[in-house]
């Protein structure tokens, strides 16, 4: 596949859109905005998986695309919105690192991903696969940054799910990746999301807040 191929360009457009939405997740302060950005990222992930299915002639990736769209673009965002309404939360979220430092750290992590992936995979994979892996690693690292840089439990859950979006993006971009691996990864993170939802309710019931910084004070570590 050459740099002029339409398949190459569209794959990178979709992967770049997923990465851009990771920056949007870090930038957003309102919980509704965070959930909306995650839903759009899930839709782009589904489109990227479907496109890879067409490029690689792998029908199994269409199943991955369908599951990603149903779970990431529809069901999980809907469940999170219902959770917000039930808890009566419609407010801004104060990040632990601040918006500016978070975006600077995110840009540095993207640069690190490119510096690590491209040289390591030089001569070992197609250009499309190499750069898709660099984009996917960037999404994974930005999901981790969101989990670290946000104090709100719901935002941290979305950071975890965004991280898993990067794993699926990487899996779909590698030819011959068994569908069972992708489905197992998705099932694992959905279980983690279920556990995280239970933790959210416990935090709300016991501490009357979703700010995980309160846990430090409960342990006597905070001010």
């Amino acid at each position: 596949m050459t740099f002029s191929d339409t398949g190459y360009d569209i794959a990178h457009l979709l992967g770049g859109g997923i990465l851009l939405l990771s920056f949007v997740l870090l930038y957003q302060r309102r919980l509704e905005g965070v959930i909306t950005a995650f839903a759009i990222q899930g839709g782009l992930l589904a489109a990227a998986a479907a496109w890879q299915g067409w490029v690689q002639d792998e029908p199994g990736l269409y199943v991955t695309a369908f599951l990603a769209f149903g779970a990431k673009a529809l069901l999980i965002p809907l469940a999170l919105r219902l959770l917000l309404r039930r808890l009566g939360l419609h407010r801004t979220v104060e990040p632990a690192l601040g918006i500016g430092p978070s975006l600077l750290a995110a840009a540095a992590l993207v640069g690190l991903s490119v510096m690590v992936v491209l040289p390591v995979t030089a001569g070992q994979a197609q250009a499309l696969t190499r750069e898709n892996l660099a984009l996917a690693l960037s999404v994974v690292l930005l999901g981790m940054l969101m989990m670290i840089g946000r104090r709100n439990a719901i935002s941290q859950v979305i950071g975890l799910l965004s991280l898993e979006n990067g794993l699926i993006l990487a899996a779909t971009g590698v030819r011959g990746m068994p569908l069972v691996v992708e489905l197992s990864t998705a099932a694992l993170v959905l279980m983690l999301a279920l556990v995280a939802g239970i933790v959210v309710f416990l935090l709300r019931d016991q501490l009357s807040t979703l700010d995980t910084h309160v846990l430090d004070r409960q342990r006597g570590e905070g001010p």
Side-chain angles (χ1 to χ4, degrees):
M1 182 172 289
T2 64
F3 282 90
S4 61
D5 284 346
T6 303
Y8 182 99
D9 295 335
I10 295 180
H12 279 77
L13 178 64
L14 293 171
I18 293 171
L19 177 57
L20 177 62
L21 265 298
S22 293
F23 278 92
V24 174
L25 288 173
L26 289 169
Y27 178 78
Q28 277 288 341
R29 286 179 175 270
R30 296 188 61 83
L31 287 174
E32 282 284 354
V34 171
I35 295 173
T36 299
F38 173 74
I40 297 173
Q41 187 184 58
L44 286 179
L45 176 66
W51 182 253
Q52 289 287 353
W54 185 83
V55 170
Q56 301 179 27
D57 193 22
E58 289 285 350
L61 290 178
Y62 294 120
V63 179
T64 301
F66 176 78
L67 293 176
F69 183 79
K72 300 298 184 69
L74 297 179
L75 295 180
I76 293 177
L78 177 61
L80 290 175
R81 287 193 174 95
L82 291 175
L83 179 63
L84 289 186
R85 294 193 184 100
R86 178 170 180 176
L87 298 181
L89 294 174
H90 298 282
R91 61 181 178 84
T92 59
V93 178
E94 190 65 32
L97 298 179
I99 298 298
S102 295
L103 293 178
L104 289 176
L109 290 174
V110 172
L112 177 64
S113 300
V114 173
M115 292 175 60
V116 169
V117 172
L118 295 187
V120 169
T121 57
Q124 301 178 21
Q126 293 182 346
L128 176 59
T129 301
R130 296 173 59 217
E131 296 179 15
N132 184 76
L133 288 175
L135 289 171
L137 179 59
S138 299
V139 174
V140 169
L141 293 179
L142 266 58
M144 294 177 61
L145 177 62
M146 185 173 180
M147 293 175 63
I148 296 171
R150 294 296 179 96
R151 295 175 177 172
N152 182 273
I154 293 179
S155 296
Q156 292 173 349
V157 168
I158 292 178
L160 172 65
L161 295 171
S162 178
L163 182 156
E164 196 254 348
N165 285 347
L167 296 178
I168 294 179
L169 181 63
T172 57
V174 178
R175 290 183 179 273
M177 176 64 72
L179 179 62
V180 65
V181 176
E182 300 160 24
L183 295 180
S184 299
T185 303
L188 173 61
V189 175
L190 285 176
M191 290 299 296
L192 290 175
L194 177 62
V195 173
I198 296 174
V199 172
V200 166
F201 277 110
L202 289 176
L203 283 173
R204 180 66 175 182
D205 292 340
Q206 299 298 322
L207 304 176
S208 299
T209 180
L210 293 179
D211 190 341
T212 56
H213 187 61
V214 173
L215 295 176
D216 293 335
R217 295 198 294 270
Q218 292 293 322
R219 294 195 303 262
E221 299 176 4

